[in-house]
Amino acid sequence: MNYPPIDSYAFLSDTHTAALVAADGAVEWFCVPHFAGDAVLARLLDRRSGGGLELSVAGCAEPSRRYLPDTLVLENRWTTPDGSAVGHDFLAVAPGDGPQPLRADKVLVRRVRVEQGRIRLAVRVTPRPGYGVREATWEQVGGRWRVADTPLWVGSDLPCEVTDGVLRIEAELTAGQTAVVLVGYDDDVTDEIDPDELLARTCQTWQTWSARSDYTGFGADAVRHSALVLRGLSFDETGALIAAPTTSLPEEIGGVRNWDYRYTWHRDAALLLLALFRLGHAEEGRRYLHFLISICTGELLSPLIGIHGSTDTERELPHLEGYAGSRPVRIGNEAAEQVQFDTYGHILDAALAYHELTGDLTDEQWALLRRHIDMLAQRWREPDHGIWEIRGPRQHYVNAKVMIWVCLDRGIRLAELLDDRSADVDRWRDARDAVHAEVLERGFNRQVNSFVMTYGSTELDASLLRIPLVGFLPGDDPRVLATIDRLRQELEIGPGLLLRYRADDGLPGEEGAFLLCSFELVSALVLAGRRDEAAKVFDQLSQYAGPLGLYAEQLAADGTALGNYPQAFTHLALIEAALNLDGAGDREALHAWAARGGS
């Protein structure tokens, strides 16, 4: 069966959950009661068994669509021989209280108003609870239809009819008339809902949030839109940033590389924090840092964590065929059990950035971090699973060693800033310098004249682009320049499109270009002093955005979007690249910008 292109979907969010809307107007992904909950609408992963919410206008197969400026409110326009209509789809939000900048109203609103003539509207709601395992059992309670054993309910100002587990609405509307369908996921949502007020308030809330940023530099429109996407992927209760709101969108059509991304990874934590502060969203930066450190209580850190601070066992859902036949569909993520030493570097990098910007790192937070610095100063010689979560034996990944160096370096600097004379800084410094020397000796292969994926190999790894970005070496160091050139020669599959690696990772099939790495190439080129080349790559990557300005995780050489969507780290790397191109091509400048944005 035909599946829409991954990057054709619109992304709606209330910062508590998300919905994906296909170009024909069908909601094909919706998890309740939060991002990581049951996908009661999952047609994205199975055209037959996955539930959906169809909304169509007779005589118009697909409406024209756009986001209202500086919002995540989707505007649809239908034109038929008999009339025209405008619609708005959104997950309603309101200004929050205290430290929570936004509040989810926990209702999906679909509103259609006829502008001219007449239209024939049809709505079909087919929830399939349990990720499509069972048909919905509907119960009418007052003016709402509820789906048994779920928090889901549907309400409308039009007559509803339920047959064979499907709720149907059909109506002919004339100029000036408005129809509304509400899909709630919380019993506490009031019956007194004014859809027009919800629309106005949701638009104002998003626009007020976006207006905090005064950024008008390179790629300003894309930066502002990407910031909105990141906010939409941030869980309202904790500030945790999920990688994507979906699971099992394939890295290869028909392949097995299908993973659950509804988790928080710690990659580029400092970059996210700096970007939030720079773009005027200091409170979100603080909440994210507090969440990040709150999960540092264990002896070893998991490379990923759920939105509520825990992880789920990975399992397969054999009843779903997967997007375009890409099996298996997985929920949960086994990578949570891996040892990834780069995690510690990202968290310490974020902690240092936060304290330099605010001076607010507490003694309790520092005590948690100190334990992990001490641990890495002792265990840095051990292999790990690496940033790309290859499901094989542990190895000495060069990126992991670089991020261990970051952890130790940032720990030393924090101890000095905090005047902590009880910290074993001399031991940390010895370990940091030893890691640095070892990476230069064993991580740079003189035979191929580049840094490599693992000690003793000749394989490349695009995460090596982080070497200058974290300050391990200057961006114009000859070894860095040679690595950039070799990465482009051997991993580039299209203009600016970099694979993560070509090494055997134990899985069948292939994957597409990794867009996070592609945008990081831009930043690395800026630091290398090759700004014109960087700007050209950025422009090329900008052309790969979907019709609504959204990016998936990966892209095939022919432009097909692959992987979970929309992908937070792609949009984050876009922001980093734009800021670097605008002149913040070093950490100190970015810190200065962030400080101004967060003041």
Side-chain angles (χ1 to χ4, degrees):
M1 300 184 72
N2 291 330
Y3 282 75
I6 289 172
D7 60 358
S8 69
Y9 286 89
F11 165 62
L12 309 180
S13 173
D14 59 7
T15 75
H16 199 80
T17 191
L20 296 185
V21 188
D24 65 1
V27 178
E28 298 193 346
W29 186 255
F30 189 44
C31 295
V32 297
H34 45 66
F35 286 118
D38 176 18
V40 292
L41 305 181
R43 190 178 297 173
L44 178 70
L45 297 178
D46 193 307
R47 311 308 285 170
R48 296 185 183 88
S49 298
L53 193 174
E54 301 170 16
L55 187 152
S56 60
V57 172
C60 181
E62 292 186 0
S64 62
R65 306 190 300 167
R66 66 164 187 145
Y67 285 113
L68 294 182
D70 292 330
T71 77
L72 292 178
V73 174
L74 183 69
E75 180 186 83
N76 310 280
R77 288 192 173 275
W78 296 268
T79 302
T80 76
D82 299 319
S84 62
V86 61
H88 296 97
D89 296 332
F90 57 97
L91 279 158
V93 295
D97 300 318
Q100 192 165 306
L102 300 182
R103 187 192 77 239
D105 285 324
K106 300 186 178 180
V107 60
L108 169 64
V109 181
R110 310 204 71 182
R111 175 183 178 276
V112 178
R113 179 172 58 84
V114 183
E115 294 185 311
Q116 293 182 334
R118 64 183 64 241
I119 65 164
R120 187 75 186 173
L121 179 70
V123 177
R124 217 168 157 268
V125 189
T126 316
R128 298 276 301 188
Y131 290 91
V133 165
R134 63 185 186 274
E135 290 186 358
T137 299
W138 293 90
E139 304 168 339
Q140 189 170 14
V141 181
R144 296 174 176 175
W145 288 88
R146 299 182 181 277
V147 179
D149 301 320
T150 79
L152 202 70
W153 57 265
V154 177
S156 179
D157 53 357
L158 297 174
C160 303
E161 177 183 288
V162 173
T163 55
D164 299 325
V166 182
L167 184 147
R168 293 179 172 84
I169 299 172
E170 293 189 2
E172 185 172 286
L173 305 173
T174 58
Q177 287 188 299
T178 298
V180 176
V181 178
L182 305 174
V183 182
Y185 62 93
D186 190 309
D187 288 338
D188 291 335
V189 176
T190 177
D191 288 324
E192 301 299 322
I193 294 177
D194 182 338
D196 293 341
E197 180 183 337
L198 282 184
L199 173 60
R201 190 177 70 193
T202 298
C203 287
Q204 183 178 23
T205 301
W206 283 121
Q207 289 166 348
T208 299
W209 184 87
S210 187
R212 293 182 194 167
S213 173
D214 61 355
Y215 181 73
T216 57
F218 189 97
D221 290 343
V223 166
R224 289 167 70 89
H225 188 51
S226 290
L228 272 172
V229 174
L230 293 178
R231 186 65 187 92
L233 293 172
S234 299
F235 186 48
D236 58 353
E237 292 182 5
T238 63
L241 176 74
I242 60 170
T246 57
T247 181
S248 300
L249 290 178
E251 297 171 6
E252 179 185 39
I253 301 299
V256 302
R257 298 168 182 262
N258 317 316
W259 318 107
D260 192 344
Y261 271 32
R262 296 171 298 166
Y263 291 89
T264 292
W265 272 260
H266 312 309
R267 299 169 190 166
D268 295 328
L271 174 58
L272 173 60
L273 189 120
L274 286 169
L276 287 171
F277 273 86
R278 167 60 189 98
L279 298 176
H281 308 300
E283 186 55 47
E284 285 81 354
R286 291 187 181 93
R287 296 184 72 232
Y288 174 67
L289 190 281
H290 292 164
F291 170 78
L292 200 63
I293 296 183
S294 73
I295 60 176
C296 290
T297 54
E299 182 178 347
L300 283 176
L301 300 180
S302 171
L304 59 97
I305 199 78
I307 56 175
H308 293 105
S310 60
T311 55
D312 301 312
T313 302
E314 182 176 296
R315 61 189 178 95
E316 298 179 2
L317 303 180
H319 63 280
L320 295 177
E321 74 167 9
Y323 177 89
S326 305
R327 284 192 171 101
V329 170
R330 297 179 175 94
I331 57 174
N333 198 307
E334 186 181 298
E337 302 171 11
Q338 291 190 344
V339 175
Q340 295 181 24
F341 288 140
D342 67 284
T343 298
Y344 301 86
H346 291 297
I347 291 176
L348 263 295
D349 201 19
L352 175 64
Y354 175 76
H355 190 67
E356 288 179 333
L357 291 169
T358 69
D360 290 342
L361 195 70
T362 67
D363 292 341
E364 293 77 12
Q365 291 171 331
W366 173 233
L368 288 173
L369 296 172
R370 266 187 53 170
R371 293 172 49 243
H372 297 297
I373 304 166
D374 281 328
M375 182 274 294
L376 272 195
Q378 180 179 349
R379 298 184 57 179
W380 68 266
R381 293 179 177 85
E382 297 179 19
D384 76 340
H385 290 102
I387 188 174
W388 302 132
E389 298 164 354
I390 293 174
R391 300 190 176 192
R394 301 182 194 182
Q395 299 188 64
H396 291 285
Y397 289 95
V398 172
N399 174 74
K401 302 298 185 186
V402 169
M403 294 310 296
I404 289 172
W405 176 88
V406 169
C407 174
L408 296 166
D409 179 75
R410 296 346 181 222
I412 293 165
R413 292 162 65 178
L414 272 171
E416 293 169 346
L417 285 171
L418 294 166
D419 195 26
D420 182 359
R421 299 182 184 181
S422 65
D424 198 351
V425 172
D426 288 340
R427 186 166 68 95
W428 298 353
R429 187 175 288 109
D430 289 344
R432 179 196 64 181
D433 296 345
V435 174
H436 196 275
E438 183 178 277
V439 169
L440 296 183
E441 176 61 29
R442 301 181 62 190
F444 186 83
N445 188 314
R446 291 166 180 78
Q447 179 184 349
V448 294
N449 193 34
S450 75
F451 286 99
V452 289
M453 187 177 199
T454 59
Y455 287 173
S457 75
T458 60
E459 297 282 358
L460 283 167
D461 169 5
S463 70
L464 299 169
L465 290 167
R466 298 300 297 172
I467 288 174
L469 300 184
V470 298
F472 186 85
L473 284 176
D476 59 355
D477 184 284
R479 291 161 293 193
V480 171
L481 298 177
T483 301
I484 292 173
D485 290 339
R486 186 171 175 236
L487 283 167
R488 296 203 70 179
Q489 290 167 7
E490 299 191 19
L491 296 187
E492 196 167 23
I493 62 171
L497 295 176
L498 286 185
L499 298 172
R500 290 189 290 181
Y501 52 79
R502 292 189 185 273
D504 182 7
D505 59 10
L507 291 172
E510 299 177 346
E511 61 179 30
F514 207 72
L515 291 171
L516 162 66
C517 299
S518 300
F519 278 109
E520 286 184 339
L521 171 62
V522 175
S523 294
L525 287 169
V526 173
L527 293 181
R530 293 152 64 171
R531 189 186 184 283
D532 290 346
E533 185 180 349
K536 181 178 180 182
V537 173
F538 187 95
D539 289 343
Q540 291 166 332
L541 295 174
S542 298
Q543 296 174 27
Y544 296 130
L548 291 168
L550 302 175
Y551 290 91
E553 179 188 37
Q554 300 183 18
L555 204 72
D558 65 359
T560 299
L562 300 169
N564 285 302
Y565 168 91
Q567 171 60 237
F569 291 115
T570 302
H571 286 275
L572 181 59
L574 180 155
I575 292 172
E576 177 190 32
L579 292 177
N580 278 323
L581 279 164
D582 198 58
D586 58 74
R587 185 183 179 88
E588 288 70 25
L590 189 53
H591 268 272
W593 283 25
R596 290 200 300 273
S599 59

